Amino acid sequence: MTHIPSPAEELRLVDAELYRLDARRAQLLARRGWLLSQLKPVRPLPAAVPPRPEATGPGVQNVLLVLGGVLLTLAAAAFTLVSWGHLGIIGRAVVLGAVTGAALAVPVPLLKRGLRSTAESVAGLGLALTVLDAYALYAAALTEADATGYAAGATAVLAVVWAAYGLLLPRVTGRPLLLPVPAAVGVAQLPMVLLAVAVGADASGIAAALLVTAAADTALALRAVSGPARIAAVAGAYGLGGWGALTAGGLVWTAAGPGAAAPAAGLLLLATGIALAGAWAPHTGTARGNATVAGLLAVAALGAVPRPVVSDGWVVPVHLAWGIALLAPLGVARIPEAVRRGLGRASGVVQALAVVAALPAVAVALLGPLGAPLRVWSGVPGDARAAVTADLPWPPASGTAALVLAAVAAVLVSAVREPLWRPRALDTATVLVWAAVLVLPPVLRLPYTAALAVLVLTAAALAAWKRPLPMVLALVTSVVAGLLSLATEPATLTVFALFTAVFAVGARRPLPVAATAAYATALLCATGAALDWQPSHLAPLVLLVPVAAALWAARTAGATRVTAEVSGGVAALVAVGLAVPDAPVLALVLALTGVIVAGTAVRPDRRPAGRVAAALFVLAAWVRLAAWEVSVPEAYALPVAVPALVVGVLRRRRDPRTSSWTAYGPALAAGLLPSLVAAWGDAHWQRPLLLGAGALLVTLSGARHHLRAPLLLGGSVLALVALHELAPYLVQVAGALPRWAPPALAGLLLLALGATYEQRLRDVRRVRETLGRMN
């Protein structure tokens, strides 16, 4: 019968079999690892890669052909220059004719066989031989002729011959050469210029020759669709045309009268026609640039004739008028779009240059009044120009600056209609009109009072325009007018009062609020100065500005409220600065400022201002004690500090979450700090001893109860008292030490700090965590 084991016995058998399998597996893995360690890695050898050629076959061919042609050309030149005298006239003609004819004929069979590169090299040699032929002809038979005139005729003949040769080859062989026609175009740049030099032409004649050649290049470039010939023509047109235009421009600039300026202006008009032809032709990638150049050249030409007869101040307006006239073709649909855009760009360039020419006058009108505070109430200036040129010279030829700025602004408003650019154009026009109004009084030499009236009215008009840019311009205008008004007392009071009212109207926005506070402060100071008050007596009067700012801040919100409060704080600082020379008045000003800040702290969102108010009250009390020359400040400080400390204890009991700075800080500061100030000037030992003992008790109390305010205030006062007591001994020790001792001690200290830096950081973190757990 078959034996069936029990489940327990079967489990024992399975476990035993698994143990044997694990042991066998471990044995096999160990054997496998040993076998792998005995095998040496076999790295496959890289497949053989043939070296990559560094030069292609066509490249090598072209280099060889070019080099061969250059060598043959050099040999021919050496023969012509050196060995020419050993042959007779017939021999010379035969040799040169045979070699040149052969060099020009060989490309024909080469092209028929498809050897184009070789044909190009041989053709290049033939063209070079024709140049040598021309030189040999001059050296042999025409030595009496003018060299420059002969060069002009020779280059013209060579250009014709080379062009004919390059155009006839395709008809004979069916395949063209690239070299002859571009070479003909290149040499064709010389005849006209050389001819002008040969006949003794002046700069105007040379410029005419350059421009005529550039016109021919332009015609060729417009007719040739593509290829090297068109590239050569375009290069000649830009090169010679630019040279001729610059020469004509120089003649226009130095012309002494209309008679001398007219021919140069005609040359500029010729250059304009060349550039415009290049822009008008279709399929030209530089049409817009050519049209821009054409517009600029036209303005220079049309403004050249009247320039010698008009005054220097009207030169810019004349050119600006022609620049504005370039906008007239923009609405003509028959004119290509690229040409219209180019002319518009040229007009913009002319207008920008006109504005730049007017900027010196604007700069003087803006920056000239900056020196007015050095001459307060010195007297009425002669006129508006005298008012702004007290420290800066008036720029010459600036009489039409306002007209130029206004004209450009009018163009921007009327010409720019695109929705994307319209707002920017309006902003720019606003700035230009503002600059024109700013510079108008000194340009017209208006009376001083009229100039101030213009500036005040301009600032008021801009302030009424509820936009950021006009408001900024209104502020700048008001600053200029305010500085100019410092010349006389009535003007100062009137202008400051007007600006206070003007900006107060728009005080719902941050900038007008700040401007109102600034001008109100300046008005109050000027009023006190007009009444011959002492500066310290002006301080309480200036506090009217912080009062008004605090009241206005309670009625507004957001950035306007913050601006009002900051402006009031700045005015309060001005009042404190005015009161510093007089201690009793300073105490009064500090107390009144504390009242204003306390009134601000009444609002729920400004509760933290109460701490500032308390500090101001304490500071006012200290200043008052110093004004009374009190030698025992504890008699006044402790009666205030002890009740305040009791109030702080009661508050902490009622609300344990109250910070120790809030509960005990004011009391401890009122009790310790006046005594500390007195102790530093006390030569006796009683006060420092008592103050140090009190500070020690406060410090220990803060450490015992884990309170930050007593710990830090008491510790700081204790350290300062100890420093005060030890200062004489430290001075004696420093005097007794040799000079090398302090640097040595400092070095040792730095080494010690560096060696224990990590431990100190750990200690600092531990102290910070301890203080953070305190309340």
Side-chain angles (χ1 to χ4, degrees):
M1 297 178 62
T2 304
H3 174 69
I4 300 176
S6 63
E9 183 180 0
E10 184 176 1
L11 179 61
R12 182 181 60 80
L13 293 174
V14 169
D15 289 340
E17 186 66 23
L18 290 174
Y19 175 77
R20 284 193 296 273
L21 289 175
D22 289 341
R24 182 59 177 167
R25 186 174 186 276
Q27 181 182 2
L28 292 175
L29 288 175
R31 182 64 179 176
R32 181 178 183 276
W34 180 82
L35 292 174
L36 289 175
S37 65
Q38 298 302 313
L39 295 177
K40 294 182 180 181
V42 180
R43 297 181 179 178
L45 296 176
V49 179
R52 184 173 60 89
E54 297 183 356
T56 61
V60 174
Q61 165 193 300
N62 293 333
V63 171
L64 293 177
L65 291 175
V66 171
L67 182 59
V70 170
L71 292 177
L72 288 174
T73 303
L74 293 176
F79 168 78
T80 304
L81 298 175
V82 178
S83 301
W84 181 256
H86 299 289
L87 298 176
I89 186 64
I90 299 177
R92 300 171 186 174
V94 170
V95 171
L96 283 177
V99 175
T100 304
L104 295 176
V106 167
V108 176
L110 292 177
L111 286 175
K112 291 182 178 180
R113 294 188 179 185
L115 302 176
R116 181 173 180 176
S117 298
T118 306
E120 292 280 0
S121 299
V122 177
L125 174 61
L127 298 181
L129 288 175
T130 58
V131 177
L132 295 176
D133 291 340
Y135 169 75
L137 179 61
Y138 174 76
L142 301 175
T143 54
E144 301 297 330
D146 179 65
T148 306
Y150 177 79
T155 52
V157 173
L158 288 177
V160 174
V161 171
W162 291 359
Y165 178 71
L167 295 175
L168 289 176
L169 276 180
R171 298 184 179 182
V172 176
T173 62
R175 297 179 180 179
L177 287 179
L178 299 179
L179 182 59
V181 176
V185 175
V187 78
Q189 311 302 313
L190 302 176
M192 291 295 297
V193 179
L194 293 175
L195 180 61
V197 175
V199 299
D202 56 2
S204 179
I206 294 176
L210 291 170
L211 292 174
V212 169
T213 306
D217 290 332
T218 303
L220 179 60
L222 295 178
R223 183 169 182 177
V225 178
S226 61
R230 185 175 187 275
I231 296 175
V234 169
Y238 280 113
L240 297 186
W243 186 5
L246 290 177
T247 304
L251 294 173
V252 166
W253 187 259
T254 58
L267 293 176
L268 284 179
L269 289 177
L270 176 59
T272 302
I274 295 172
L276 194 59
W280 203 284
H283 310 297
T284 54
T286 58
R288 187 179 301 179
N290 291 335
T292 303
V293 173
L296 295 176
L297 291 174
V299 171
L302 297 174
V305 178
R307 190 188 66 82
V309 297
V310 299
S311 62
D312 293 339
W314 286 93
V315 172
V316 174
V318 167
H319 287 82
L320 177 60
W322 288 114
I324 296 174
L326 292 177
L327 298 175
L330 297 185
V332 181
R334 292 178 296 177
I335 300 177
E337 179 68 17
V339 176
R340 285 182 286 168
R341 289 186 175 274
L343 294 177
R345 184 182 298 178
S347 177
V349 171
V350 174
Q351 295 178 59
L353 293 175
V355 171
V356 170
L359 287 182
V362 178
V364 172
L366 275 176
L367 304 179
L370 292 180
L374 302 177
R375 301 178 297 275
V376 176
W377 298 350
S378 58
V380 179
D383 53 31
R385 184 176 297 185
V388 300
T389 56
D391 300 303
L392 294 176
W394 182 252
S398 299
T400 57
L403 176 63
V404 168
L405 296 171
V408 175
V411 171
L412 287 174
V413 173
S414 60
V416 181
R417 297 293 182 180
E418 297 180 2
L420 178 63
W421 294 97
R422 181 69 176 175
R424 304 177 188 178
L426 293 178
D427 290 342
T428 306
T430 302
V431 175
L432 292 175
V433 171
W434 166 77
V437 174
L438 190 69
V439 81
L440 186 62
V443 165
L444 298 180
R445 292 181 176 270
L446 295 180
Y448 172 71
T449 305
L452 285 181
V454 170
L455 293 176
V456 170
L457 292 176
T458 302
L462 290 170
W465 196 353
K466 297 181 179 180
R467 289 183 58 199
L469 178 61
M471 181 56 65
V472 173
L473 297 179
L475 289 176
V476 176
T477 308
S478 67
V479 170
V480 174
L483 292 174
L484 290 179
S485 69
L486 296 177
T488 64
E489 177 183 324
T492 302
L493 297 176
T494 303
V495 169
F496 285 175
L498 289 175
F499 282 141
T500 302
V502 166
F503 289 110
V505 174
R508 290 290 180 181
R509 290 170 291 167
L511 282 179
V513 167
T516 303
Y519 281 110
T521 304
L523 176 62
L524 293 174
C525 292
T527 302
L531 297 175
D532 292 330
W533 288 4
Q534 295 295 326
S536 58
H537 296 166
L538 293 176
L541 184 64
V542 173
L543 288 180
L544 293 175
V545 177
V547 172
L551 294 175
W552 185 250
R555 299 171 57 88
T556 58
T560 304
R561 172 181 293 180
V562 175
T563 304
E565 293 172 345
V566 172
S567 302
V570 173
L573 290 177
V574 173
V576 171
L578 292 173
V580 166
D582 194 337
V585 178
L586 178 60
L588 174 62
V589 170
L590 290 173
L592 293 176
T593 305
V595 172
I596 298 171
V597 176
T600 302
V602 172
R603 302 203 310 267
D605 59 335
R606 292 294 186 267
R607 296 298 188 196
R611 302 176 183 177
V612 180
L616 289 172
F617 288 137
V618 172
L619 186 59
W622 293 347
V623 173
R624 173 55 64 181
L625 293 177
W628 286 339
E629 298 182 356
V630 173
S631 59
V632 186
E634 293 82 3
Y636 299 91
L638 293 179
V640 177
V642 172
L645 190 62
V646 172
V647 172
V649 171
L650 295 176
R651 182 174 180 181
R652 285 274 297 178
R653 287 183 179 179
R654 185 172 64 253
D655 186 6
R657 295 176 298 177
T658 303
S659 171
S660 61
W661 288 106
T662 303
Y664 308 127
L668 294 176
L672 295 176
L673 296 183
S675 298
L676 177 63
V677 174
W680 272 76
D682 195 348
H684 303 285
W685 58 272
Q686 292 86 356
R687 177 179 279 116
L689 178 61
L690 295 176
L691 179 61
L696 178 62
L697 292 177
V698 172
T699 303
L700 295 177
S701 176
R704 171 67 179 79
H705 297 285
H706 290 225
L707 297 176
R708 187 180 301 175
L711 180 63
L712 295 181
L713 283 175
S716 300
V717 173
L718 181 60
L720 292 174
V721 171
L723 178 63
H724 173 265
E725 295 301 309
L726 295 176
Y729 302 101
L730 294 177
V731 172
Q732 293 177 4
V733 171
L737 290 176
R739 293 187 177 181
W740 56 266
L745 293 175
L748 291 175
L749 178 61
L750 292 177
L751 289 176
L753 289 176
T756 59
Y757 184 70
E758 184 177 3
Q759 181 64 34
R760 298 286 80 77
L761 288 178
R762 188 181 298 112
D763 294 342
V764 170
R765 284 195 293 268
R766 187 179 295 112
V767 172
R768 185 177 61 188
E769 293 173 357
T770 303
L771 291 176
R773 290 192 295 269
M774 296 181 181
N775 192 357

